[in-house]
């Protein structure tokens, strides 16, 4: 069996972080290959149910990332996301998931370097935490 590589589900805004991820790729910046991008029109569309479902289906961590404050194309979607992440950090421990497994980041379209760095840092932190109980019980 190979070394444990955490699976990170990244809900990313179409206008900012998705473009940053694309830029990271075209710039050949390394970030963990177990990152799974889910492109949303805005982080304000990320329903907390999606996050809980991701964890229950084996994600080791979830990133929600979009436009910087003041740059959201839908005015305040990113602020809604920030409130939901705060709530999720309170709820997730009740499901047995460490609150460090969810992260919010503002990453603009031109910030491919920041995207790659965020993903590498997150993967390193989650590696130290180890797999979730759900993940451990899954036959992969
Ligand atoms: S459009 Fe990017 S976070 Fe709202």
């Amino acid at each position: 069996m190979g070394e444990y590589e955490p699976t990170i589900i990244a809900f990313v805004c179409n206008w900012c972080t998705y473009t940053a991820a694309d830029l990271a790729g075209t710039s050949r910046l390394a970030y963990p290959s177990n990152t799974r991008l889910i492109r949303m029109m805005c982080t304000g569309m990320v329903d907390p149910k999606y996050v809980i479902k991701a964890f229950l289906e084996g994600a080791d961590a979830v990133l929600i990332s979009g436009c910087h404050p003041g740059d959201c194309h839908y005015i305040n979607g990113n602020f809604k996301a920030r409130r939901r992440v705060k709530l999720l950090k309170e709820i997730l421990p009740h499901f047995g998931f460490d609150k460090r497994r969810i992260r919010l980041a503002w990453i603009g379209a031109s910030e491919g370097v920041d995207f790659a760095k965020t993903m590498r840092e997150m993967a390193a932190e989650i590696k130290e935490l180890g797999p979730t109980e759900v993940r451990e019980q899954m036959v992969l």
Side-chain angles (χ1 to χ4, degrees):
M1 200 165 136
E3 192 184 342
Y4 164 65
E5 291 296 336
T7 298
I8 302 173
I9 304 298
F11 293 98
V12 295
C13 153
N14 174 63
W15 306 102
C16 292
T17 308
Y18 184 81
T19 307
D22 197 30
L23 179 62
T26 53
S27 307
R28 297 176 179 261
L29 300 171
Y31 66 86
S33 58
N34 278 8
T35 302
R36 301 286 179 265
L37 295 178
I38 300 179
R39 187 182 191 176
M40 310 288 286
M41 290 309 285
C42 174
T43 54
M45 293 177 68
V46 182
D47 190 308
K49 284 185 295 216
Y50 303 164
V51 174
I52 292 168
K53 188 169 190 272
F55 281 117
L56 294 177
E57 292 191 1
D60 292 297
V62 171
L63 172 73
I64 297 175
S65 181
C67 307
H68 286 272
D71 289 347
C72 177
H73 291 233
Y74 305 95
I75 304 171
N76 60 1
N78 51 2
F79 292 126
K80 286 180 184 163
R82 183 166 64 187
R83 285 196 294 272
R84 288 176 187 151
V85 167
K86 189 172 182 285
L87 184 71
L88 281 160
K89 281 183 179 283
E90 289 173 24
I91 291 171
L92 285 172
H94 297 286
F95 287 85
F97 299 107
D98 191 297
K99 65 182 180 185
R100 287 172 289 179
R101 293 183 184 276
I102 182 165
R103 191 183 280 199
L104 176 71
W106 311 131
I107 302 174
S110 63
E111 298 170 338
V113 171
D114 290 343
F115 175 79
K117 185 171 168 256
T118 299
M119 297 318 300
R120 286 194 305 268
E121 283 175 1
M122 205 168 165
E125 186 178 0
I126 301 304
K127 239 177 181 175
E128 277 183 29
L129 286 177
T132 65
E133 276 183 41
V134 171
R135 172 87 184 250
E136 278 178 344
Q137 291 168 10
M138 292 175 86
V139 179
L140 299 176

